[in-house]
Amino acid sequence: MSADLRRAYEEILPLVEKPARYTGGEHGAVRGEPPPGTLRFALAFPEVYEIAQSHLGYQVLYDLLNRHPGVRAERIYAAWTDLERELRRRAIPLVSLETFTPLAEFDVVGISLQYELTYTNVLAMLDLGGLPMLAADRGDRHPIVIGGGPAAFNPEPIAPFLDAVLLGDGEEAVIDVVEVVRAARGRPRSEVLERLAAIEGIYVPSRFEAVYDERGRLREMRPVAGQRPVIRKRILRDLDTVPTPEIHVTPSLRIVHDRASVEVMRGCVKGCRFCQAGYVYRPLRERDPHAVVATAERLLADGGYDELSLLSLSTADYSCVNPVLSSVMERFASERVSVSLPSTRVEALSPAILEEIRRVRKTGFTLAPEAGTQRMRDVIQKEYTEAELLEAARTLYGMGWRQIKLYFMCGLPGEGAEDLVGIAELARAVGAEAPSGRGTVTASVSNFVPKPHTPFQWVAQTPLDETMARQGILREECRRRRVDFKWHDARLSFLEGIFSRGDRTLSGLLMRAFERGCRFDGWSEAFRWDDWRAAIEECGVRPEEWLRRRELDEVLPWDHLDSGVDKKWLQEELRRAVEGRLTPDCSIERCTYCGACDFESVRNVDYHRTGAKGAEHRGERVDSWARERVVAEDEWETRAWQKITARTSDKTERLRRRREGEGPDGRAIDAARPPQSPPAEGVLAERSLGVAPAIADPGSGHAEEWLEGDPSGLPARPGVDTPSVVARYRAEYRKRGPARFLGTLEIVNVFSRAARRARLPVAYSRGHHPLPRIAFGPALAVGIESDCELLDLELTEARDPTTVAASLGAALPEGLEIVAVAAVPLDSPSIEGGVSAIRYRVDLESLPADKRAESRVAERVSRFLAGEPLAVEKRSGRRPARTVDGREFVHRLRCVPAEALEIDVAFGAAGSIKPQAFVEALLSLAPDEARGLRVRKLAALAAAPAACP
């Protein structure tokens, strides 16, 4: 079955955009059919490969599951609209990348719920995979479908399509799930779900009944069949208990975050009141810096990456960020590995690390003030003053940056016109810090969407028309101040807001939107606004009901799902927001009793030397190690930690003086005068806004923002001087199977990483951005196989060619095979310099019988050889297509009876033509018929015969 489906996919992949998304075969991926009796787990991510394969959490689960005895995990990602069209037209199911197994044939399907606007993709994956979309329609033979991820903390709009939901951390819970499913094999589905419901952190929607009042609003989520009334999230109490990964897939296709990634901590206690992740992933848990460095070493060696990313919600707050950065940069200095730091705050890094950044003039740096005025930053708990922002801008401009991007949010609770103007004004002020006006600033503004389990879960979301009006104000204010302005599509935020706080009644809207063809709703090019509006009207959904303000005593659709943060504490945080008061960092200053910790087995775990009571501080364990890795005069703790602890010490001294009746100057306090508090400001009150015209351009989609990426990073620290080239090797390799769908850039990337994995002493170019000295022959079009590809590899040490061939070949993904390696003189001509024509074989078996008939093909070949002109469409990159005479490029044409054509196509200064384009014109084929032809490169010819007469 899987072999047949593999062949079926090979026939249709030439017809779609980026076919390498669906081929698998990457280095590190598990291969081969699993043994009988293996529990099969499909890791399903409802996005394109480039985004899905970038997700560290799925890499972690892939490793853990495939290392667990008797379990096989495989990956299935969403089919882009072109592939879905072909799959439905030919009745072919959606399959896994590893074994081309249909989704319906797995035992468990784990679906990542990262973002509400991927929900229609979830339905499409279930439908294409051969599964009933509604959980109630699945029988005993169907897999268990489990959702997980941040959106799982309110899965109600998609709950009718899921058998179970995992709340919280998955490393331990996913093993519990597979053990329960394996033990319950052959049992009724209802019994399997009952056993799953007993696992901590597993929510089974069918075991809760939604009860509504006369207005149609949720009154109760009533547990049935003895179900626990509240499902508490699963917590991985200590990140250090997760072993270093052994299985890591290195993508062949370029992905969004194409680098080795290590999670340095989980959770965040900064408490930004709009940030769902900052609340649902509490408490704070840091990873041992020794484990971080060890994991980085393993991933870089296995993957062949030249970049490392240290991941968390706020990496600059990781207590050991400075010694870890120094350590990995020193360790990989000679290997030219750079380090990226997502979520970086400049003021948190040590002077030594800032000096590392200073060596290179980066194109851009990103800062996130989130709001344009201090009042609004206090409302949202963004402890970031304008003075600190301007100081950071001065630092960055002084180090050579010329572009700064500022992230803001529009539509925050209590936002007024002065706050919108403040965004543009603050961006202008940042740009003014650039010397001699040589800097540029971009204000990138997203739209606030209230999220469950946050202090703002009760507030109203700004209506669509008003959001567009506010964007209009921002556009005009930024234009006046010469600030570049980017904005998020308000229509996407509108839909996200509906589903973010929705309940089960919205499942019908999801189904209707799916039926109308809505897919990839976070992508501007795929978003179908008219179909969504029609679906909303057809289902009788009132958007204002879901965007409205919620009463504090109202039953919320997620009240039965415990994120660990107490609901009353969230209401207290909302009150602090109204008053513009900040909440302290509970890992350093003091516990605020949010409910996330039980102070026995669950608590903040960090590597600070000291901090708030109730947390586990492990800094003493690494203190001597950390001190060795930072400059002598520099403290290894972050400057943010130093700043807070200094402030806390000052506060302690003030409290002592107050208790002893002294003022700051040591004199007695006047007891008759009560201490003064700043007046509370009702920032959540409505503020009127002037009406501005709506923006015609809707802005960018959410997915495009992911693809754009803008991490702030450190360049590779220079080691010794760049060694000279001492040897050059020419490798011949085959490109077949899944590798034929890799483009030129992907092939370059694959071989560069393979050489690093093979530990070959590859020479690098000199200059600002050194590149490995690997040269390739003529570029091969995507989809064409080859028996005779060549590359030149320059090394700084001489090696035996046989050893080079063996080590390089072992590091390549499926479909790339080293045939031979030979040493060649350093002054040998380039590979391309000796090629004047390329011989191809074009198989005709995929054509309809009438178009591949031997007599018809022979007649067309004879006419061409007799001198008849042949108009062929020639395409080159993004240039407009033009028509040429195929006779100018085809030097030899031979018919293999009833099988194929052999074609010698010229290659040189005048360019070349694609063999599929030539055969399309020769045999009068439809474009899709020509694209589906199987083509193989047979030889690169040093001398070509004269052009056809």
Side-chain angles (χ1 to χ4, degrees):
M1 175 68 174
S2 61
D4 293 339
L5 287 172
R6 186 184 295 270
R7 285 192 293 270
Y9 267 74
E10 287 181 351
E11 291 178 4
I12 63 175
L13 288 185
L15 308 179
V16 306
E17 178 188 5
K18 295 187 179 180
R21 288 169 167 168
Y22 315 106
T23 57
E26 309 99 318
H27 180 80
V30 296
R31 299 185 184 180
E33 293 291 333
T38 299
L39 185 138
R40 306 190 69 177
F41 196 118
L43 289 168
F45 203 109
E47 257 297 348
V48 292
Y49 179 95
E50 298 95 305
I51 289 176
Q53 193 59 46
S54 296
H55 193 268
L56 178 60
Y58 258 38
Q59 286 270 25
V60 170
L61 294 181
Y62 188 80
D63 170 72
L64 291 173
L65 287 167
N66 281 310
R67 281 197 281 161
H68 195 69
V71 177
R72 165 67 70 85
E74 302 182 32
R75 298 160 297 148
I76 300 184
Y77 299 143
W80 187 252
T81 53
D82 53 0
L83 179 62
E84 180 179 347
R85 182 177 60 250
E86 294 298 327
L87 293 178
R88 292 192 183 280
R89 186 165 69 89
R90 302 168 187 238
I92 298 173
L94 185 66
V95 298
S96 67
L97 298 185
E98 281 75 7
T99 61
F100 285 73
T101 300
L103 190 67
E105 295 183 14
F106 284 85
D107 298 298
V108 182
V109 175
I111 299 179
S112 181
L113 304 177
Q114 296 292 319
Y115 175 43
E116 292 82 357
L117 295 192
T118 62
Y119 287 172
T120 55
N121 289 1
V122 172
L123 271 57
M125 293 181 75
L126 294 174
D127 190 46
L128 284 171
L131 278 167
M133 285 186 285
L134 288 169
D137 294 337
R138 296 179 198 132
D140 294 344
R141 65 182 180 86
H142 292 117
I144 299 296
V145 179
I146 301 180
F153 283 91
N154 178 29
E156 291 307 303
I158 200 170
F161 307 101
L162 303 173
D163 295 308
V165 177
L166 168 59
L167 299 181
D169 301 322
E171 288 92 339
E172 296 170 341
V174 73
I175 301 302
D176 292 344
V177 168
V178 298
E179 290 299 335
V180 163
V181 174
R182 180 158 52 188
R185 272 180 168 171
R187 309 298 298 172
R189 189 178 191 83
S190 58
E191 183 176 332
V192 178
L193 295 178
E194 182 178 355
R195 295 188 185 186
L196 287 173
I199 299 175
E200 182 183 9
I202 297 296
Y203 165 49
V204 177
S206 61
R207 297 175 68 84
F208 282 82
E209 177 187 2
V211 181
Y212 297 90
D213 63 18
E214 62 281 358
R215 296 178 299 173
R217 292 183 178 176
L218 184 66
R219 188 176 68 194
E220 180 186 4
M221 289 298 294
R222 180 180 299 163
V224 298
Q227 172 64 51
R228 291 169 296 174
V230 175
I231 308 300
R232 185 173 176 83
K233 75 174 180 182
R234 189 64 173 265
I235 300 174
L236 180 64
R237 290 162 174 79
D238 191 342
L239 293 189
D240 293 336
T241 61
V242 180
T244 299
E246 295 180 0
I247 301 172
H248 180 82
V249 178
T250 305
S252 302
L253 182 68
R254 284 282 188 178
I255 62 175
V256 178
H257 303 303
D258 204 6
R259 49 187 176 257
S261 298
V262 181
E263 184 185 31
V264 299
M265 69 179 186
R266 190 174 302 176
C268 177
V269 291
K270 291 300 179 183
C272 297
R273 291 166 179 141
F274 56 82
C275 179
Q276 184 185 49
Y279 292 93
V280 301
Y281 289 123
R282 291 186 178 207
L284 172 71
R285 289 147 292 162
E286 294 190 344
R287 195 181 299 275
D288 186 325
H290 297 96
V292 171
V293 175
T295 303
E297 291 177 343
R298 177 68 179 270
L299 292 178
L300 290 167
D302 290 350
Y305 295 99
D306 59 3
E307 186 176 354
L308 171 69
S309 181
L310 303 178
L311 294 182
S312 75
L313 291 175
S314 181
T315 299
D317 292 315
Y318 174 53
S319 61
C320 295
V321 62
N322 290 316
V324 163
L325 282 172
S326 294
S327 183
V328 297
M329 294 185 75
E330 183 66 32
R331 164 66 180 81
F332 298 107
S334 62
E335 300 180 31
R336 296 174 173 81
V337 172
S338 61
V339 184
S340 66
L341 301 169
S343 306
T344 300
R345 291 206 315 272
V346 175
E347 77 278 7
L349 300 180
S350 72
I353 296 302
L354 291 175
E355 184 62 27
E356 294 284 356
I357 302 177
R358 183 172 181 258
R359 295 185 302 99
V360 169
R361 294 175 183 271
K362 299 281 287 185
T363 57
F365 204 101
T366 300
L367 300 170
E370 305 292 358
T373 63
Q374 190 61 52
R375 183 185 67 82
M376 282 306 306
R377 287 192 290 275
D378 290 344
V379 169
I380 63 177
Q381 176 75 15
K382 194 71 177 180
E383 198 171 347
Y384 208 142
T385 67
E386 181 171 337
E388 289 172 328
L389 182 67
L390 297 181
E391 180 184 359
R394 283 192 295 273
T395 300
L396 292 171
Y397 285 130
M399 289 179 174
W401 271 267
R402 291 293 171 261
Q403 301 172 22
I404 292 180
K405 177 183 285 188
L406 302 175
Y407 280 140
F408 295 99
M409 299 184 76
C410 171
L412 288 164
E415 180 183 82
E418 68 278 11
D419 302 303
L420 292 175
V421 174
I423 290 175
E425 184 57 31
L426 184 57
R428 182 208 62 76
V430 166
E433 296 296 331
S436 305
R438 290 179 294 172
T440 62
V441 175
T442 298
S444 183
V445 183
S446 62
N447 307 307
F448 167 70
V449 175
K451 291 290 184 177
H453 305 283
T454 70
F456 289 159
Q457 65 182 357
W458 290 278
V459 305
Q461 181 172 333
T462 305
L464 177 60
D465 56 350
E466 187 173 343
T467 297
M468 298 183 74
R470 295 182 189 215
Q471 289 178 338
I473 293 174
L474 281 168
R475 181 178 60 172
E476 177 61 23
E477 295 295 335
C478 287
R479 184 194 65 78
R480 289 173 51 196
R481 292 166 176 81
R482 298 182 180 179
V483 171
D484 293 335
F485 174 51
K486 290 186 178 181
W487 62 96
H488 184 61
D489 191 335
R491 301 170 303 176
L492 301 186
S493 302
F494 169 78
L495 287 178
E496 182 184 352
I498 290 175
F499 289 108
S500 174
R501 296 187 295 171
D503 64 19
R504 293 187 187 183
T505 61
L506 291 176
S507 62
L509 173 59
L510 277 177
M511 179 71 83
R512 188 68 190 111
F514 162 78
E515 293 168 348
R516 294 188 67 91
C518 295
R519 308 285 191 276
F520 293 96
D521 300 305
W523 293 74
S524 298
E525 61 193 278
F527 182 48
R528 301 171 69 155
W529 174 235
D530 290 341
D531 284 301
W532 270 107
R533 287 197 302 180
I536 289 172
E537 184 175 346
E538 290 165 4
C539 294
V541 171
R542 294 185 297 116
E544 63 275 11
E545 173 65 19
W546 304 107
L547 304 182
R548 65 177 174 83
R549 181 173 66 86
R550 311 299 167 89
E551 302 298 329
L552 294 182
D553 60 352
E554 185 174 342
V555 175
L556 303 174
W558 53 91
D559 276 348
H560 59 302
L561 305 177
D562 184 359
S563 68
V565 180
D566 185 71
K567 187 175 181 180
K568 290 187 179 300
W569 185 86
L570 290 175
Q571 292 177 346
E572 176 63 21
E573 273 296 285
L574 179 62
R575 187 176 70 82
R576 292 192 186 99
V578 172
E579 297 172 353
R581 288 195 291 129
L582 300 178
T583 300
D585 181 331
C586 67
S587 70
I588 302 175
E589 297 189 63
R590 63 177 177 82
C591 179
T592 57
Y593 300 98
C594 68
C597 299
D598 62 14
F599 306 107
E600 295 180 1
S601 61
V602 180
R603 66 183 70 196
N604 289 336
V605 176
D606 59 54
Y607 282 83
H608 292 301
R609 287 171 292 179
T610 59
K613 292 181 179 180
E616 183 178 347
H617 306 295
R618 301 175 175 178
E620 293 301 323
R621 301 184 190 179
V622 299
D623 187 57
S624 59
W625 171 87
R627 288 180 183 277
E628 292 174 358
R629 281 153 181 79
V630 294
V631 294
E633 65 272 18
D634 184 35
E635 293 285 350
W636 65 265
E637 288 275 17
T638 64
R639 288 198 289 170
W641 178 85
Q642 296 173 33
K643 174 183 172 182
I644 292 176
T645 52
R647 185 176 68 206
T648 304
S649 298
D650 291 343
K651 184 177 180 180
T652 301
E653 176 63 16
R654 289 197 304 272
L655 289 175
R656 184 196 66 78
R657 289 181 180 277
R658 176 174 294 179
R659 283 196 303 268
E660 296 178 4
E662 297 179 3
D665 54 1
R667 290 183 294 182
I669 297 176
D670 183 358
R673 188 182 64 208
Q676 299 297 306
S677 300
E681 185 175 3
V683 297
L684 297 181
E686 290 293 330
R687 293 169 178 267
S688 60
L689 283 170
V691 177
I695 303 175
D697 186 337
S700 63
H702 192 279
E704 282 88 337
E705 294 173 6
W706 287 342
L707 287 174
E708 177 186 357
D710 192 11
S712 305
L714 304 177
R717 176 184 288 171
V720 296
D721 292 339
T722 303
S724 300
V725 176
V726 300
R728 183 176 177 185
Y729 299 87
R730 182 156 293 176
E732 180 180 354
Y733 67 95
R734 295 191 182 101
K735 182 184 179 186
R736 292 184 174 178
R740 71 187 176 105
F741 293 111
L742 297 176
T744 302
L745 293 178
E746 281 78 32
I747 288 293
V748 171
N749 194 46
V750 164
F751 273 98
S752 297
R753 288 181 176 168
R756 295 175 71 93
R757 282 194 292 267
R759 313 301 294 175
L760 293 175
V762 178
Y764 278 75
S765 62
R766 300 179 186 273
H768 197 55
H769 294 290
L771 298 173
R773 296 181 67 90
I774 305 177
F776 294 82
L780 200 62
V782 172
I784 296 181
E785 294 182 311
S786 176
D787 292 334
C788 54
E789 291 301 282
L790 298 175
L791 66 86
D792 279 356
L793 181 68
E794 296 182 348
L795 304 182
T796 60
E797 299 174 12
R799 296 285 175 91
D800 177 65
T802 304
T803 302
V804 173
S807 57
L808 186 61
L812 290 172
E814 182 182 353
L816 293 173
E817 177 187 353
I818 299 294
V819 177
V821 173
V824 297
L826 292 177
D827 58 355
S828 297
S830 69
I831 298 173
E832 285 195 3
V835 177
S836 60
I838 298 175
R839 179 166 295 168
Y840 298 100
R841 175 189 171 97
V842 182
D843 293 331
L844 305 178
E845 61 181 10
S846 66
L847 295 178
D850 60 324
K851 292 190 177 181
R852 69 170 188 269
E854 184 175 340
S855 58
R856 180 177 185 271
V857 174
E859 185 266 335
R860 296 295 181 98
V861 170
S862 296
R863 282 163 48 185
F864 178 81
L865 294 177
E868 183 176 301
L870 183 68
V872 177
E873 191 175 74
K874 176 176 169 57
R875 293 184 178 275
S876 178
R878 296 184 177 181
R879 298 175 184 173
R882 60 189 180 93
T883 301
V884 299
D885 185 353
R887 301 171 52 76
E888 299 176 16
F889 295 91
V890 174
H891 293 166
R892 174 179 173 269
L893 177 61
R894 187 174 78 87
C895 181
V896 180
E899 292 182 7
L901 294 172
E902 282 190 6
I903 311 168
D904 289 1
V905 180
F907 175 84
S912 187
I913 60 173
K914 294 180 180 179
Q916 298 98 319
F918 173 77
V919 177
E920 178 182 347
L922 180 73
L923 301 182
S924 302
L925 303 180
D928 279 359
E929 291 174 334
R931 291 166 62 193
L933 292 169
R934 193 71 175 255
V935 181
R936 186 163 82 252
K937 177 182 173 182
L938 300 178
L941 307 176
C948 290

